[in-house]
Every structure is written in C-alpha cells, then in structure tokens.
Amino acid sequence: MKVLTPFASLLFAGVLTFAASGCGKKCSNEDPRARITNNGTQNASVQIKTSGGSTVNINNVAAGASSDYANYAAGTTTFTLKVNNVDYVKTTDVSKCHEYTIAIDRSNVITVTDTDRNN
C-alpha cells in the first residue's frame, strides 16, 4: 500500500497552522471598556472622560450591582463617580484591548482593576 507522504505532510501542516491561528488574540486593537461595580450603600453613577474629550456615562448602578460594559477611547481617562451628589475622582491610563472594573466600596474608595482581554 502506497502512502502519499508529501500530501499527508502538507495536510498536517495546514491543520496545525489553522489550529494555531485559532488560538491567537481574542481582541484586535479594540477600544477599552469599563463597567462600574457598586459595593457601596447608595446608587452610583460614573462619568468616563477621555483625554480626547469624549464622555461616556453609566448611570444609577444600584448598591451591590454591576453595570454592563461601555466602550470608550484609549488614553488618559478620568472616572468620576457620583454617590449622594458627591463626586469621587480617579484618573488612570487605559489601553486598547483592556477592560476595567471601576469599584466603589462602602467608604467611597475607588479601585480600578485592569484585565487584558487577550489573556
């Protein structure tokens, strides 16, 4: 029985290449995104202001809840959370293909957690 070695090798290499390309990046130069996690006791809203001047608002997140993600431009970003008509501000640099969780605790301390969407 004759084995088609060159054809089998080529087929194997093609399957291997296809499989490897499927395991690549999950994110391709996409804008960052953020959500608010409200660990406080009152409703919270966040204004996301980018260095380019655009603004995204996530409003009225109930205590103990998280919002959906909102996309915005990469760069230096200011997160302004409003709780009981008081503003709490955190500024950080954000990158493409990252997502951020902006959490506020019972003492109104803001933490920003960064997750690379390619991991």
Side-chain angles (χ1 to χ4, degrees):
M1 183 162 140
K2 185 175 180 183
V3 178
L4 299 176
T5 305
F7 177 72
S9 297
L10 184 59
L11 180 62
F12 178 74
V15 169
L16 189 60
T17 301
F18 180 73
S21 68
C23 296
K25 291 186 173 188
K26 300 172 192 172
C27 177
S28 178
N29 205 32
E30 295 171 25
D31 282 338
R33 61 187 185 183
R35 69 176 176 179
I36 182 172
T37 297
N38 184 356
N39 296 317
T41 59
Q42 302 289 323
N43 283 359
S45 297
V46 66
Q47 178 186 65
I48 303 167
K49 188 168 186 177
T50 68
S51 55
S54 63
T55 301
V56 174
N57 294 305
I58 302 172
N59 296 315
N60 299 317
V61 178
S66 292
S67 70
D68 291 331
Y69 283 99
N71 293 353
Y72 53 94
T76 301
T77 302
T78 301
F79 301 105
T80 304
L81 277 82
K82 185 176 286 285
V83 179
N84 270 351
N85 292 321
V86 178
D87 289 343
Y88 301 91
V89 179
K90 179 89 170 183
T91 300
T92 190
D93 290 324
V94 299
S95 303
K96 288 187 177 278
C97 291
H98 285 246
E99 64 188 20
Y100 300 86
T101 299
I102 306 136
I104 190 160
D105 67 13
R106 292 181 181 274
S107 301
N108 296 321
V109 174
I110 300 170
T111 57
V112 178
T113 305
D114 172 9
T115 303
D116 186 336
R117 293 181 354 207
N118 285 316
N119 292 337

